[in-house]
Every structure is written in structure tokens, then in C-alpha cells.
Amino acid sequence: LAPGGRMAMIVSSSWMKRKYGEELKRFLLNEFYVHGLVGFQDRVFKDLVNSVCIFAEKRENTIRMPATNEVQFVQSGTADALTGGETDSLSDLTETALQTAEIPQRTLEPEDYWDILLRAPNVFETIERRGEFVPLSKLATPMIGVQTLAKDFYVIEAGEPAAEDIE
């Protein structure tokens, strides 16, 4: 893609929360101005459960200068919003979105789970701002299980349960 060129692609959303997605996130952050990531509650393709559309523009200067743009994380109900003809821009899409978050690109890290910014940006921001965000690894050893499926975070009331009571 030539500098200033634009792209949009629809991919599985799994890279947003998995370690193997770090290289893609690093590539996007280093080489592009990422304008938006749009997640869909409904299936876009019958064989792909969760998908996300990436809107990006090739950076003209890829000397690791921090990007100055904001990334729109948009949770949409259906992909119809992209094909209905009434949406001319990412800004139009945010007006009809289920939820949105606007994050400076320079603050995003490849190691971070970006999917939380699509699924529950307000909850995440509130917890993070209050300074009560404790990594689950400080309380327990996260493991994939039938019940937990190793969720990204849990909401635990202060003082309850005790760390040794978490399974």
C-alpha cells in the first residue's frame, strides 16, 4: 500500500485478544494510522463467528514517530450499517453504534487486549480510572475451564471473595 493509501478489511476478531495477534497489532500501529475498528454482534459471514473491520491509512513516515490520530472502536449490531448506503463515514457509523470508544493510537500497545474496547469500553475505562484494576494473575492462576473460559477480567467486590476462594 502506498503512503496515504487507505484500506479496509474484515477479519476474525480473535487477533485482538490473543498473543498471536501481537505482531498484527504492532504492524498496524507502526505502519498505519488506524482510524477505526468496527466489531459486529451479528455474523458478517456464516462461517466466521466474530469479525471486525479494520479501517486504516498507510503512514507516510514509518520512522517510528508516534501516531497523533484517535482510533474509533465501534460496536455495531450488524454489518448492514456498512452496506446500507446511509453511512458515509466512520463518524456516521458511531452515531448508530451500540457503543463506542475513542482511544489515542499512541496509547495502544500490541500486548494489550483490544477487544475489551469493543465489548465494554465504558466499564473498562471506569475501572481503570478508579485505580482499582488488579490483574487476575495477582489473585489466582487463570486457566481455561468449562465455566471460566479464561475471561479477560472479572468484577470482584472489594473484600469478597478472598483470593484463596477463587477457582
Side-chain angles (χ1 to χ4, degrees), residues 18 143-152 154:
R18 300 284 183 245
M143 297 170 43
I144 293 179
V146 174
Q147 296 299 314
T148 66
L149 298 176
K151 295 184 180 3
D152 299 334
Y154 298 83

Side-chain angles (χ1 to χ4, degrees), residues 6-66:
R6 295 179 178 204
M7 72 162 187
M9 62 180 173
I10 298 177
V11 296
S12 167
S13 64
S14 59
W15 64 273
M16 295 180 72
K17 60 183 174 182
R18 300 284 183 245
K19 185 141 183 81
Y20 66 79
E22 287 180 18
E23 286 305 313
L24 175 59
K25 290 185 269 188
R26 187 171 287 108
F27 175 71
L28 289 170
L29 292 172
N30 289 338
E31 302 294 328
F32 292 88
Y33 295 115
V34 180
H35 294 292
L37 297 168
V38 181
F40 307 99
Q41 283 193 328
D42 293 346
R43 289 179 184 233
V44 176
F45 304 107
K46 68 177 184 171
D47 296 337
L48 187 60
V49 176
N50 295 316
S51 56
V52 65
C53 184
I54 303 168
F55 294 95
E57 176 182 358
K58 179 72 171 155
R59 291 173 65 173
E60 294 165 5
N61 182 356
T62 57
I63 300 172
R64 308 299 176 239
M65 300 291 290

